[in-house]
Amino acid sequence: MNTKVLLFFLLAISISEQAISADIVRGEQIATEMEKRTTGFKPFSVSATLLSVGKDGTETFPRALHIRVMDSTEKDAGYLTFIEVTAPASIRGMAYLTLSQMKRSNIQWRYDTARVRKIAIVDPKGSFLESEFSYEDLADQEVHKFSYAYLRDEPCGALTCFVLERMPRKESAYEKQVVWVDGAEYRVQKAELYGKAGIVVKTITVSGYQKVQDRFWWPDVVELKNAASGRVSRIRYAGYKVDTDVTQDVFNPSRMRENRAAGN
């Protein structure tokens, strides 16, 4: 090979590697800023409605939820989330507990009042209340569980978004995620979830953010579309409030039955 050609080839490789390295660093910086802006909040509660959405946009099969969230103070722990079903009556009192882990897989439980009335470990890939959301989709997406790369900037509605690729470091139902994060407040606006075959299997869109506790942005609506079936599930949130009754005891797996507000 001609010496000049060889030098040019090596230089091109070096430049390419430097660009990839810069994109990884920038991606991680953006992800770290996202995490910084969603940690340190006071314990809160919020009401939510999980809905199925027809092709004509009609919302059906509503399931009412009461959600309590706390930012854990323990090392390598993330959010603590307790979700209780308050309607319809047929499943009222079912409860779901998630203990997010920074560097390990999340720990999740379900309290099922329908038949067995016992706590069971939840399959993270399973459907949440027969919706298109899986338990993994609803869990906190801790920064340390992914590797990142910045892809580009692009418009997202009236905002400009960073587009990031994140690859799971631990076992996941997804090969990768492509996430749109607005540059104004570092809020997720959209995420495409890729299956093991390398194609988009789900798309999540987030809208209607509201400012809570003076500096935290939480969504009004999270919508998920299943690419294969075309089915859509939507969660509407309302009434975010600081809740002094949300303490560490609420997130004790052995007390899931007692900690339900709906009872029975």
Side-chain angles (χ1 to χ4, degrees), residues 39-101:
T39 55
F41 56 82
K42 296 176 182 177
F44 69 86
S45 60
V46 62
S47 296
T49 306
L50 173 62
L51 303 137
S52 298
V53 183
K55 292 183 179 179
D56 61 354
T58 303
E59 297 178 337
T60 60
F61 192 32
R63 286 136 287 180
L65 311 172
H66 179 63
I67 304 171
R68 286 171 277 182
V69 184
M70 183 176 182
D71 195 0
S72 177
T73 57
E74 295 184 12
K75 183 180 179 181
D76 294 332
Y79 297 168
L80 308 176
T81 307
F82 190 93
I83 303 175
E84 180 185 353
V85 182
T86 58
S90 59
I91 56 174
R92 176 181 169 89
M94 288 183 66
Y96 301 84
L97 173 62
T98 299
L99 309 181
S100 296
Q101 307 290 305

Side-chain angles (χ1 to χ4, degrees), residues 14-254:
S14 175
I15 292 172
S16 176
E17 289 177 344
Q18 289 176 22
I20 291 171
S21 178
D23 289 342
I24 290 172
V25 170
R26 189 175 182 193
E28 290 177 346
Q29 288 173 339
I30 293 168
T32 300
E33 182 64 23
M34 289 170 62
E35 183 178 60
K36 186 170 71 174
R37 292 180 182 226
T38 57
T39 55
F41 56 82
K42 296 176 182 177
F44 69 86
S45 60
V46 62
S47 296
T49 306
L50 173 62
L51 303 137
S52 298
V53 183
K55 292 183 179 179
D56 61 354
T58 303
E59 297 178 337
T60 60
F61 192 32
R63 286 136 287 180
L65 311 172
H66 179 63
I67 304 171
R68 286 171 277 182
V69 184
M70 183 176 182
D71 195 0
S72 177
T73 57
E74 295 184 12
K75 183 180 179 181
D76 294 332
Y79 297 168
L80 308 176
T81 307
F82 190 93
I83 303 175
E84 180 185 353
V85 182
T86 58
S90 59
I91 56 174
R92 176 181 169 89
M94 288 183 66
Y96 301 84
L97 173 62
T98 299
L99 309 181
S100 296
Q101 307 290 305
M102 292 290 189
K103 299 179 180 179
R104 296 178 294 168
S105 298
N106 294 333
I107 306 172
Q108 298 176 300
W109 289 267
R110 177 179 62 215
Y111 183 88
D112 188 347
T113 66
R115 285 175 288 185
V116 295
R117 289 183 178 269
K118 73 175 183 179
I119 297 169
I121 297 295
V122 175
D123 173 10
K125 299 177 185 177
S127 170
F128 176 70
L129 292 177
E130 300 180 19
S131 73
E132 299 306 311
F133 289 96
S134 70
Y135 297 103
E136 181 177 352
D137 297 333
L138 296 174
D140 184 25
Q141 305 292 304
E142 293 87 359
V143 168
H144 300 288
K145 290 183 178 177
F146 298 89
S147 59
Y148 294 85
Y150 165 81
L151 299 179
R152 61 188 179 274
D153 283 6
E154 71 176 37
C156 51
L159 301 168
T160 298
C161 280
F162 306 119
V163 184
L164 306 180
E165 180 181 78
R166 60 186 183 191
M167 309 283 288
R169 298 182 188 273
K170 303 292 183 181
E171 182 180 357
S172 171
Y174 309 112
E175 182 72 21
K176 69 175 183 179
Q177 301 179 17
V178 176
V179 184
W180 281 254
V181 180
D182 75 71
E185 297 291 346
Y186 288 77
R187 301 164 296 194
V188 173
Q189 301 292 328
K190 183 175 118 174
E192 292 179 342
L193 313 182
Y194 287 72
K196 301 302 183 181
I199 59 174
V200 176
V201 293
K202 294 179 182 179
T203 299
I204 295 174
T205 54
V206 187
S207 59
Y209 277 99
Q210 57 180 288
K211 202 170 190 178
V212 180
Q213 299 180 27
D214 296 326
R215 72 182 186 94
F216 300 103
W217 292 93
W218 303 120
D220 285 339
V221 180
V222 178
E223 185 173 290
L224 184 150
K225 182 175 183 179
N226 186 308
S229 66
R231 290 192 293 266
V232 175
S233 291
R234 180 180 295 153
I235 303 177
R236 293 187 176 277
Y237 297 92
Y240 288 98
K241 65 177 183 179
V242 175
D243 194 334
T244 56
D245 292 330
V246 179
T247 65
Q248 195 78 32
D249 287 343
V250 170
F251 308 99
N252 185 337
S254 66

